[in-house]
Amino acid sequence: MSGRLLRLVCTAALATQVALVPGAAVAVPEPDGSAEPSVAEMLTDLQKLYRDAERATEAYNATEEQLRRKRAEVARLDGQLTRARLALDDSRSEAGRLARRQYQSSSDLSPYLRLLLARDPQHVLDQGHVIGQVARERAGTTARLAGDERRRDELARKARAALDARITLTERRKKERDDVRRRLDDVEEMVASLSAEQLHEVAELERTGVAERQRELEDSGALGEDDGKPTAEGERAVRNAVRQLGKPYQWGAEGPRSYDCSGLTSWAWDRAGTPIPRTSQEQWAKLPRVPLDALRPGDLVVYFPEATHVALYLGDGLVVQAPRPGARVKVSPLAANPVLGAVRPDPDARPVPHYTPPKLPAAAPTGGDEGYASAAVPDQEETGRPSAA
């Protein structure tokens, strides 16, 4: 008996048993034998997929940043090596010129005999002085030539090592790029499997959960009662970030047409005049920590134990963030994700005496775009950044 026919027979038998027992209620299993997942389970699965994709994205960003620095190092060493080779050529030319000059001034007679036989002894003495000077110059040139050769060899070794490291980083970046694409394919596959009603239910459940976590955070007093004033750079960073509202999330993007999470925060601060590390992990590791109850606008809020997400604090318990694939830059409650902590890009700068927060769009505080849409995977050249769509 085929598997399909066997399932039909079993289902019919079960239905018959139910009909024979008044008041009995039995759930008939799905044809594949599995129950449909709950909305909470679907939300958990989606959040895990998005988190995996963002973790892969930040790993890619870190490698890309290392590769960028390595390219600069290779270019710098290549320039130094070129100059060292030119200096070596000059030293060799100088050594040859001095050798010819000394050969042309040489004689088989000893300096003493040349002095006795000379019609003009003073001229012989002057010539001997010149010959001695040439000899000293030649000794100096020979030493310089040896030094130039050593420097050339050392720079050539460093340039080769830097080039090898760049090749290794390029290969790693390709693997991490492919990993991001696989993760986003998983997201896209799950999103495509959900109906519009299910997506609405998932988004509504997430909004409810975020609102509850935000209330708990505020009630705990962890955020403090008053927001501090930003510094001048912090205020510029806030306004820079707010002007990006509505622009699409794009993995690996750092503006100005699209962003990923750390691309947005690093862009906002870089344009404010204070460059900060590129990735969320580096921002968490290298910038000074600040407690949540001392937050001021412009500070960075970092999320998840691995520091794989980051947002920029606006004040009043809100952050601006590039949330995830399929979403757009938006304003969210600070507790939109599990908070790891906060860091401050400008700890030594003084706050401004007066501060007026930027005006936000009417719907911004509600964070209407949850990003539950098809997570498009960007095209990318083998050696370029992801396209900014």
Side-chain angles (χ1 to χ4, degrees):
M1 182 180 294
S2 69
R4 181 173 181 274
L5 182 57
L6 179 60
R7 286 194 298 272
L8 290 174
V9 170
C10 291
T11 301
L14 181 59
T16 302
Q17 293 175 10
V18 171
L20 293 176
V21 181
V26 178
V28 179
E30 293 293 315
D32 63 356
S34 61
E36 182 176 321
S38 67
V39 176
E41 290 171 334
M42 288 187 287
L43 175 59
T44 299
D45 291 344
L46 258 179
Q47 288 176 333
K48 181 181 183 302
L49 291 175
Y50 277 122
R51 185 177 171 186
D52 290 344
E54 191 155 50
R55 185 185 298 113
T57 295
E58 289 300 282
Y60 171 89
N61 289 339
T63 299
E64 173 65 19
E65 195 66 15
Q66 292 178 50
L67 184 56
R68 186 181 300 174
R69 290 193 291 265
K70 192 58 65 176
R71 288 196 196 102
E73 181 184 358
V74 169
R76 177 179 58 81
L77 288 171
D78 283 347
Q80 291 180 346
L81 182 58
T82 298
R83 291 190 291 273
R85 284 170 173 161
L86 291 174
L88 180 59
D89 289 342
D90 290 343
S91 295
R92 284 171 173 166
S93 297
E94 178 67 11
R97 183 185 67 80
L98 290 173
R100 289 191 299 272
R101 183 177 173 187
Q102 189 171 27
Y103 173 77
Q104 292 168 356
S105 302
S106 64
S107 170
D108 292 335
L109 297 177
S110 69
Y112 178 71
L113 288 177
R114 279 189 281 118
L115 180 61
L116 291 178
L117 298 175
R119 294 181 179 179
D120 187 353
Q122 184 62 45
H123 175 71
V124 174
L125 291 173
D126 292 342
Q127 188 180 41
H129 175 74
V130 170
I131 291 174
Q133 182 179 357
V134 170
R136 288 189 295 273
E137 288 180 8
R138 183 179 182 185
T141 300
T142 301
R144 189 163 57 250
L145 178 62
D148 288 344
E149 287 178 338
R150 286 193 299 270
R151 177 167 173 76
R152 179 206 59 185
D153 293 343
E154 178 65 14
L155 285 171
R157 185 189 64 78
K158 289 182 177 180
R160 180 69 252 180
L163 181 60
D164 290 342
R166 189 181 74 176
I167 293 171
T168 299
L169 286 171
T170 300
E171 291 300 318
R172 185 199 302 175
R173 185 188 62 171
K174 289 178 182 177
K175 292 178 181 178
E176 290 170 343
R177 177 203 61 196
D178 293 341
D179 186 29
V180 174
R181 288 176 169 172
R182 283 193 299 271
R183 305 286 184 181
L184 291 179
D185 285 343
D186 293 340
V187 173
E188 190 169 13
E189 182 178 351
M190 182 172 181
V191 169
S193 71
L194 302 179
S195 66
E197 182 179 357
Q198 288 173 321
L199 288 172
H200 175 75
E201 291 175 348
V202 165
E204 188 60 35
L205 180 61
E206 182 175 43
R207 278 193 293 270
T208 302
V210 169
E212 182 177 349
R213 291 196 302 271
Q214 185 74 8
R215 281 194 301 269
E216 292 175 353
L217 184 65
E218 293 173 351
D219 291 345
S220 71
L223 286 181
E225 296 181 0
D226 298 314
D227 290 322
K229 294 183 178 64
T231 63
E233 293 85 354
E235 181 176 2
R236 287 196 293 271
V238 167
R239 298 187 186 281
N240 289 338
V242 168
R243 282 196 293 269
Q244 310 315 306
L245 289 174
K247 292 186 178 181
Y249 179 103
Q250 177 73 68
W251 70 271
E254 44 193 348
R257 290 184 295 169
S258 56
Y259 302 89
D260 62 18
C261 68
S262 57
L264 175 65
T265 54
S266 60
W267 184 91
W269 270 100
D270 182 68
R271 294 306 184 278
T274 303
I276 63 174
R278 167 64 177 89
T279 69
S280 58
Q281 290 98 336
E282 286 183 311
Q283 290 169 7
W284 174 248
K286 296 181 179 180
L287 298 178
R289 308 282 171 85
V290 59
L292 294 182
D293 61 3
L295 280 175
R296 66 189 186 194
D299 289 341
L300 305 182
V301 182
V302 183
Y303 298 93
F304 300 111
E306 305 89 349
T308 51
H309 188 71
V310 64
L312 190 143
Y313 187 62
L314 295 180
D316 199 25
L318 299 175
V319 296
V320 60
Q321 62 166 335
R324 56 192 169 206
R328 294 178 178 274
V329 176
K330 58 185 285 189
V331 173
S332 303
L334 184 146
N337 295 292
V339 177
L340 174 61
V343 294
R344 178 164 291 168
D346 57 344
D348 299 325
R350 292 184 177 182
V352 295
H354 306 288
Y355 173 61
T356 301
K359 186 176 181 180
L360 300 175
T366 64
D369 182 1
E370 300 298 338
Y372 292 117
S374 178
V377 180
D379 293 328
Q380 178 193 2
E381 295 296 331
E382 285 299 312
T383 58
R385 299 288 286 167
S387 60

